[in-house]
Amino acid sequence: MLTSEVIEKGRKHISGVIVRDTELVVEKGEGSWLYTSEGERYLDFIAGIAVCNVGHCHPRVVEAAKAQLERLIHISISTAYYESVSELASELARLAPGEIDTCFFSNSGAEAVEGAIKLARYFTKRPGIIGFYGSFHGRTFGAVSLTASSWKYHSYYEPLLPEVYHVSYPYCYRCPYRLSPANCDLECLNEMRTLMRYQVAPDRVACVIMEPVMGEGGYVVPPARYVRELRKLTADHGILLIMDEVQSGFGRTGRMFATEHFQVVPDIMTMAKGIAAGLPLSALAAPRRIMDAWKPGAHGTTFGGNPVSCAAALASLKVIEEENLLGRAAEMGAYMKSRFEQMKQEHPFIGDVRGLGMMVGVEFVHPDGTPNGDAVTYITQRCLEKRLIVHPAGDHKHVLRFMTPLNISREDLDYGLAIIEETMREYRPS
Ligand code: PLP
């Protein structure tokens, strides 16, 4: 099909609700590169929105998926056991922290979040769910009720799920209490205590759901002290702590799961994106004692735990281990941050450089410190012209978020960083 036909048919028949980063027609992906139908290649600093952690079409993943395709494509987990799903569940039990040893598989991040909050309510017999301003948990009705990174996800869908509350995320660079980490008494955690004093009794709260590193909200890393105190607060009240690892999991932050950085063990974890190197798969995981609260039939799925997706996930986990991608993400992420710190010295419009491993965010500001989305729009567009794909985050789209494949070569990384550096020099703040 001609490139123009692909675009024309897509424009005509694919819902316009999808926000498009580019008008490219991509034919092939390999490692950190995408190849268009016009024969051009683009360096991909997005990795399918933090999905292709082992790069596009890793040969080990392709081989495993092909082998599975030839044997069994689908049967539904409620019909029979099959090897790839049992093996993946036991691998995730091995990798997950603490007592977490049981999985429920589904297809997307939002579905995993739906399952997690249903399980939390079912287990605790309580209705309340507390999330955070700025968070993104997906777009299905339950998940979108927790999502609070923009009102645009809520408008015209109301009423949303009842008994959902939000509090401030510990976003220290833009502390809602105008404190600094040095003089802060975790005021934002006190906000949750206040909520549970005046608005909802702690024994009516089923769970708190948190992104261990806020993704779409701007790649914000919470202070470890906050996460540990939150764990204590929730445990004290029998509230389940759900860590949404959909974006941060599978090596992205230099650990298998970002939660490990804070040395806390959640009650439930949600996983998707990087789990299967691009095939649709998600999971929620919890200790058996929590998972067993679910009576058979209380939740279910047709496609969740698809044999091919599970085979791809197992291959991807092997690649993460054999190519030492956790160590590599930690090392390359630190290198990326140091490069952006250098750029910050030169450019006052860079307000903050942050992240864990290869989940790196660069926040842009106006001279008065307010969020500068114009800079990010300029940089993303110019980078695209130079054949580098980068992606914004944050409520004002004022953060550049970097989620390259974890095994990107140093040469490719430097090539992309040089484009960004050059583009920053071209940018003229208005
Ligand atoms: N949770 C987090 C932390 C996410 O980043 C996302 C997607 O960006 C989701 C949930 C929703 O995942 P999906 O788009 O696969 O439904």
Side-chain angles (χ1 to χ4, degrees):
M1 209 189 284
L2 290 172
T3 302
S4 56
E5 257 184 278
V6 177
I7 296 176
E8 198 187 308
K9 286 190 174 166
R11 278 196 188 140
K12 197 164 167 196
H13 298 294
I14 297 174
S15 171
V17 78
I18 302 289
V19 176
R20 284 190 180 282
D21 290 329
T22 80
E23 287 289 303
L24 300 176
V25 175
V26 172
E27 268 186 3
K28 190 178 121 174
E30 193 179 333
S32 302
W33 294 89
L34 293 172
Y35 296 82
T36 69
S37 52
E38 307 280 81
E40 292 164 337
R41 70 173 197 160
Y42 284 73
L43 184 56
D44 182 8
F45 269 23
I46 302 182
I49 319 192
V51 167
C52 302
N53 288 4
V54 297
H56 292 280
C57 299
H58 193 290
R60 295 280 302 268
V61 174
V62 173
E63 191 191 335
K66 270 188 183 164
Q68 183 62 52
L69 271 169
E70 281 166 7
R71 286 199 307 270
L72 179 73
I73 298 177
H74 172 75
I75 182 166
S76 185
I77 193 158
S78 56
T79 304
Y81 286 109
Y82 42 91
E83 187 179 326
S84 61
V85 79
S86 292
E87 184 59 21
L88 181 61
S90 92
E91 272 298 279
L92 293 178
R94 180 176 72 81
L95 295 168
E99 295 172 7
I100 294 177
D101 64 351
T102 321
C103 297
F104 175 91
F105 290 106
S106 41
N107 308 287
S108 66
E111 254 188 279
V113 167
E114 292 291 333
I117 59 176
K118 283 176 77 178
L119 177 59
R121 280 188 168 177
Y122 205 96
F123 176 79
T124 59
K125 307 280 183 283
R126 304 173 179 183
I129 303 170
I130 302 178
F132 292 88
Y133 296 125
S135 292
F136 188 88
H137 297 289
R139 298 161 186 272
T140 51
F141 257 106
V144 87
S145 305
L146 307 174
T147 289
S149 52
S150 166
W151 50 256
K152 77 176 179 211
Y153 299 118
H154 291 174
S155 282
Y156 309 113
Y157 298 120
E158 309 92 334
L160 302 172
L161 191 69
E163 291 304 319
V164 170
Y165 305 87
H166 288 95
V167 293
S168 302
Y169 194 89
Y171 183 175
C172 297
Y173 181 70
R174 292 198 180 277
C175 172
Y177 297 93
R178 296 181 192 277
L179 297 168
S180 73
N183 67 5
C184 144
D185 196 19
L186 297 182
E187 213 42 60
C188 44
L189 194 60
N190 286 334
E191 196 180 314
M192 195 178 291
R193 292 192 181 97
T194 305
L195 175 81
M196 293 198 289
R197 189 163 152 211
Y198 292 108
Q199 219 180 341
V200 56
D203 66 3
R204 301 303 294 145
V205 178
C207 60
V208 171
I209 181 164
M210 179 182 199
E211 292 172 88
V213 178
M214 188 185 270
E216 135 117 7
Y219 275 30
V220 180
V221 184
R225 196 159 66 96
Y226 179 96
V227 183
R228 289 193 204 122
E229 288 294 315
L230 173 66
R231 174 65 286 190
K232 197 167 165 312
L233 178 66
T234 49
D236 285 349
H237 293 291
I239 297 169
L240 299 185
L241 177 62
I242 303 175
M243 280 296 189
D244 183 351
E245 292 267 7
V246 165
Q247 188 155 165
S248 54
F250 298 97
R252 173 62 45 201
T253 68
R255 300 278 174 88
M256 190 54 78
F257 298 106
T259 310
E260 294 168 36
H261 287 279
F262 310 109
Q263 284 126 35
V264 302
V265 177
D267 298 296
I268 305 179
M269 267 170 47
T270 53
M271 318 165 184
K273 287 192 184 281
I275 189 171
L279 275 92
L281 183 67
S282 65
L284 69 95
R288 169 62 68 190
R289 74 185 158 79
I290 295 179
M291 199 68 92
D292 273 355
W294 254 346
K295 299 286 169 265
H299 195 46
T301 175
T302 298
F303 287 113
N306 170 269
V308 184
S309 298
C310 289
L314 285 165
S316 178
L317 285 172
K318 280 210 179 73
V319 172
I320 291 175
E321 200 175 313
E322 285 167 16
E323 294 186 13
N324 181 28
L325 294 189
L326 302 188
R328 204 176 152 72
E331 190 188 324
M332 296 295 246
Y335 170 69
M336 272 178 95
K337 276 207 293 191
S338 74
R339 288 287 305 270
F340 286 121
E341 286 291 354
Q342 279 163 16
M343 294 181 213
K344 183 170 180 257
Q345 302 304 315
E346 192 182 331
H347 302 297
F349 51 77
I350 298 183
D352 194 29
V353 175
R354 57 187 177 239
L356 287 176
M358 294 192 89
M359 196 167 179
V360 174
V362 179
E363 176 156 346
F364 290 75
V365 293
H366 290 296
D368 63 359
T370 54
N372 184 349
D374 298 340
V376 173
T377 304
Y378 177 85
I379 292 165
T380 46
Q381 282 171 1
R382 276 298 285 154
C383 283
L384 188 63
E385 285 161 19
K386 298 174 192 189
R387 299 188 192 156
L388 171 72
I389 305 179
V390 292
H391 202 67
D395 53 352
H396 293 81
K397 299 279 173 252
H398 60 296
V399 177
L400 273 179
R401 58 169 147 166
F402 298 98
M403 40 194 165
T404 68
L406 307 181
N407 51 3
I408 187 171
S409 70
R410 170 71 184 259
E411 196 188 349
D412 288 346
L413 187 60
D414 278 335
Y415 178 79
L417 290 172
I419 293 178
I420 294 164
E421 197 161 19
E422 182 184 271
T423 305
M424 283 192 195
R425 290 205 177 111
E426 289 166 6
Y427 171 64
R428 300 275 168 271
S430 50

